[in-house]
Amino acid sequence: MGSTQVDSPVTPETCSVTRTLSFVGSKWTPLVIFHLLPGAKRYGELQHLLPGISPKTLADRLQTLEGEGLLTRTVHPDKPPRVEYALTRRGRELGEILNSIAAWAES
Amino acid sequence: MGSTQVDSPVTPETCSVTRTLSFVGSKWTPLVIFHLLPGAKRYGELQHLLPGISPKTLADRLQTLEGEGLLTRTVHPDKPPRVEYALTRRGRELGEILNSIAAWAES
DNA sequence: CCGTATCCCTACCGATACTG
DNA sequence: CAGTATCGGTAGGGATACGG
């Protein structure tokens, strides 16, 4: 006998793609990821690579990406302080997808 | 002699990925694309497939996607009016990328 | 050097009512 | 049926000043 239960529709709240794009699509986030793909960078380096970004926004993006497990934040106990950000494997995987979007968009 | 000209930095305004995600990342847009992947749908069908979306938002998303060349809008001269939306080849290509994001997000 | 704290503005999105 | 018009809330992001 067939079930009378219909599939519950996917909503923006339950869609994995919508959820992913909700933070990857934030302003500056793709560029942050691109700049980290070649290797770890310091906070100040990213600021110079991203002219126009505010310190608040850069910190927001880095913290969100860290919270999503896409990058790691490493504090080196130096004076003056030195903090490095590096993509995780998962972050690099997402970077590859962003590259495929770039290829699609520019073709 | 090496040029003294440095690369002008990429900004969110000139980044093709940021620009793409600025509309693909809009709420409901990925779901609209997913529902159109199997084939053309009418406006009312999409409304029922997307419970909770407002008519304004649905119209906004469809018009944006049409403007980006990702779908076509076809008016059939019937009574009552019948309008169908179908992905273009480019729209289906983007849909495939969204599927790869889903695979990444769910892995 | 690496951020946080505030304030503010605006663009996105939802609800609702209405029209060809 | 397939939208448009209008209004309003809210969250994202910028500018700026300051702190560990």
Side-chain angles (χ1 to χ4, degrees), chain B residues 14-35:
Chain B
T14 61
C15 172
S16 66
V17 176
T18 299
R19 194 196 160 285
T20 299
L21 296 186
S22 74
F23 64 88
V24 180
S26 298
K27 203 173 170 183
W28 296 105
T29 297
L31 291 175
V32 169
I33 293 173
F34 285 139
H35 283 300

Side-chain angles (χ1 to χ4, degrees), chain B residues 42-44 56 63 73 81 83 85:
Chain B
R42 301 176 57 173
Y43 182 90
K56 180 199 175 204
Q63 287 170 14
R73 177 179 183 271
V83 181
Y85 295 90

Side-chain angles (χ1 to χ4, degrees), chain A residues 9-98:
Chain A
V10 182
T11 66
E13 285 71 32
T14 62
C15 174
S16 66
V17 175
T18 300
R19 194 197 160 282
T20 299
L21 296 186
S22 73
F23 64 87
V24 180
S26 297
K27 202 172 171 183
W28 296 104
T29 297
L31 290 176
V32 168
I33 293 173
F34 285 138
H35 283 300
L36 290 178
L37 271 176
K41 296 273 186 309
R42 302 176 57 173
Y43 182 90
E45 290 184 275
L46 290 171
Q47 262 192 324
H48 283 96
L49 290 167
L50 302 167
I53 197 171
S54 73
K56 178 196 174 209
T57 298
L58 179 53
D60 282 352
R61 295 303 166 271
L62 292 170
Q63 287 169 13
T64 297
L65 290 172
E66 187 188 8
E68 296 290 336
L70 304 185
L71 61 76
T72 57
R73 177 179 184 272
T74 307
V75 181
H76 299 270
D78 303 355
K79 272 199 91 147
R82 191 170 119 248
V83 180
E84 285 198 331
Y85 295 90
L87 291 179
T88 61
R89 174 133 84 92
R90 198 156 170 73
R92 289 190 297 274
E93 288 170 5
L94 181 59
E96 290 308 307
I97 293 180
L98 296 187

Side-chain angles (χ1 to χ4, degrees), chain B residues 42-100:
Chain B
R42 301 176 57 173
Y43 182 90
E45 290 184 276
L46 290 171
Q47 260 192 327
H48 284 96
L49 290 167
L50 301 168
I53 197 172
S54 72
K56 180 199 175 204
T57 299
L58 180 54
D60 282 351
R61 296 302 163 272
L62 292 170
Q63 287 170 14
T64 297
L65 290 171
E66 187 188 7
E68 297 289 337
L70 304 185
L71 62 76
T72 57
R73 177 179 183 271
T74 307
V75 181
H76 299 269
D78 302 355
K79 271 200 89 150
R82 191 170 121 249
V83 181
E84 284 198 330
Y85 295 90
L87 291 179
T88 61
R89 174 134 84 91
R90 198 156 170 73
R92 289 190 297 275
E93 288 170 5
L94 181 58
E96 290 307 308
I97 293 180
L98 296 187
N99 275 328
S100 76

